[in-house]
Amino acid sequence: MKLIIAAIKPFKLEEVREALTAIGVRGMMVTEIKGFGSQSGHTEIYRGAEYAVNFVPKVKLEIVVTSAMADQVVETIANTAKTDKIGDGKIFVLDVNQAVRVRTGETNEDAV
């Protein structure tokens, strides 16, 4: 099993969710986050004053899928979240050693 963590632009969330549902992803966790990458934030003008925005709003998706499905999920997120502008986000893939569905006690791939 794999844990896929993706940081994407907030306005892309619903489009990414729909694309993942279409390929068979049955669940995900979503968190509103702030961060910065290569661009190190940016400056904006508000009521005539310029100020630095050091942390950019993002949405973090956490999805656990079977190893066989991981590449397809990564490709779907990357293609759907892409805007061709700085700050489109990042995707990380990690191994999952164990999963348990609390309600039924199912484990590993049965719990996903």
Side-chain angles (χ1 to χ4, degrees), residues 26-82:
R26 296 187 329 199
M28 70 179 71
M29 294 176 280
V30 179
T31 310
E32 292 181 13
I33 62 171
K34 292 181 182 182
F36 69 91
S38 306
Q39 77 274 17
S40 298
H42 61 281
T43 58
E44 289 186 1
I45 297 178
Y46 178 72
R47 293 187 177 179
E50 185 175 4
Y51 66 100
V53 177
N54 294 321
F55 292 97
V56 181
K58 300 281 183 197
V59 173
K60 179 172 76 170
L61 308 177
E62 295 174 272
I63 306 161
V64 177
V65 295
T66 62
S67 296
M69 198 175 178
D71 289 339
Q72 183 182 15
V73 170
V74 169
E75 184 178 327
T76 299
I77 295 169
N79 291 338
T80 309
K82 185 176 184 177

Side-chain angles (χ1 to χ4, degrees), residues 10-37:
F11 69 88
K12 284 293 199 171
L13 175 61
E14 190 59 27
E15 188 178 345
V16 169
R17 188 199 61 77
E18 288 174 4
L20 290 173
T21 301
I23 64 166
V25 171
R26 296 187 329 199
M28 70 179 71
M29 294 176 280
V30 179
T31 310
E32 292 181 13
I33 62 171
K34 292 181 182 182
F36 69 91

